[in-house]
Amino acid sequence: MGVLGAEPWSEEMRKRIEDSTGIKAYDIFGTSELSGPLFTECQSQNGIHIWADQFLVEVINPDTGEPVANGERGELVITTLVKEALPLIRYRIGDITVLNWDECECGRTHPRIMRVLGRADDMLIVRGINVFPGQVESVLMNIPEVGEHFMIIVDRINELDIMKVQIEMTDAAFSDKVTDIMDLEKKVGAALKSVLNIAVKVELVEHGSLPRSMGKAKKVIDNRKI
Ligand SMILES: [Zn+2]
């Protein structure tokens, strides 16, 4: 069993981890202000339970501060109900998620936060469209030739936002034939466009060539001066 959650990760990444290691991979969530990692998935692996007898949980529209409807995407806000010394009232965690109050398969009625899509401050606006690095990861992890490391680079050229994604190939997919690489770049670009609704320039790079980091990975370079 693996309990993983230093940074947001996608359902597709879970499948890759489980398939390649043979473990069950569970998501966990918490922040240092709330005493660290507090909330985990149950055996159903379908959302992280928030212990509703200890915490009042809300998901709000980050612009208006108003709670969104059940199942709608917004920013996570938590109020501690029993914490002493450092209670928090409507504390804005900054993560974008969906709150699900439906009873879980496991029988618990504590609400679940569904896959955290990223932090409100991770969200990129490219040509007026909201883009989360987690969406890019979801698309990439469904393409077997693509490795686990990628970098999103956004530039503004002649008043137009240009989004490029550099992606490491797996060693197995690496080819000496330029046409193979171009075909794969086209395939990845089309898959990204179908989900993000914007054109993305795809650049495949050799396995091991993108920077690695300890802890939270840096996945976005925004070169725009706005
Ligand atoms: Zn459950």
Side-chain angles (χ1 to χ4, degrees):
M1 178 197 289
V3 182
L4 313 166
E7 60 190 81
W9 51 303
S10 60
E11 206 50 48
E12 290 74 16
M13 180 65 95
R14 181 193 328 258
K15 190 167 180 321
R16 279 210 178 189
I17 292 168
E18 292 190 338
D19 289 349
S20 62
T21 61
I23 63 169
K24 284 280 229 182
Y26 294 90
D27 202 1
I28 189 167
F29 176 79
T31 72
S32 42
E33 302 92 315
L34 289 172
S35 319
L38 277 173
F39 311 114
T40 60
E41 286 183 318
C42 62
Q43 65 272 30
S44 304
Q45 292 178 300
N46 187 18
I48 295 174
H49 283 288
I50 299 284
W51 312 120
D53 51 345
Q54 308 262 327
F55 301 92
L56 185 84
V57 59
E58 299 168 88
V59 168
I60 62 161
N61 176 327
D63 296 326
T64 63
E66 294 297 321
V68 299
N70 188 26
E72 234 173 75
R73 192 162 87 171
E75 185 182 341
L76 187 63
V77 173
I78 290 187
T79 298
T80 58
L81 300 177
V82 295
K83 198 165 183 261
E84 294 181 23
L86 186 65
L88 297 169
I89 299 171
R90 296 202 82 204
Y91 185 74
R92 290 176 72 159
I93 304 283
D95 288 309
I96 299 290
T97 189
V98 168
L99 190 62
N100 183 351
W101 282 94
D102 299 341
E103 186 178 324
C104 180
E105 259 175 65
C106 73
R108 291 182 181 89
T109 52
H110 293 281
R112 283 166 289 157
I113 50 171
M114 310 312 282
R115 279 265 170 222
V116 171
L117 287 169
R119 294 184 53 79
D121 41 10
D122 279 346
M123 191 184 79
L124 285 163
I125 301 178
V126 182
R127 298 189 196 181
I129 292 178
N130 298 351
V131 175
F132 286 97
Q135 290 177 299
V136 174
E137 182 186 291
S138 286
V139 172
L140 298 182
M141 293 306 110
N142 268 328
I143 302 171
E145 298 94 329
V146 164
E148 282 75 31
H149 296 274
F150 67 91
M151 182 72 82
I152 299 168
I153 301 162
V154 188
D155 279 296
R156 180 162 288 178
I157 299 168
N158 298 331
E159 304 305 315
L160 194 63
D161 293 337
I162 306 289
M163 178 169 156
K164 179 164 86 176
V165 185
Q166 287 183 325
I167 307 159
E168 286 189 6
M169 281 177 289
T170 59
D171 280 335
F174 188 76
S175 168
D176 287 335
K177 280 199 357 226
V178 177
T179 47
D180 287 352
I181 308 260
M182 282 167 66
D183 285 348
L184 183 54
E185 283 177 347
K186 264 190 211 150
K187 177 177 154 184
V188 175
L192 285 169
K193 189 174 182 195
S194 73
V195 170
L196 304 176
N197 287 319
I198 44 168
V200 178
K201 186 172 166 24
V202 173
E203 191 178 295
L204 292 168
V205 298
E206 236 175 292
H207 179 75
S209 58
L210 292 178
R212 304 290 195 262
S213 57
M214 297 293 284
K216 288 195 194 291
K218 186 170 168 51
K219 288 180 177 158
V220 178
I221 298 173
D222 194 341
N223 293 322
R224 292 174 296 182
K225 311 239 180 327
I226 302 172

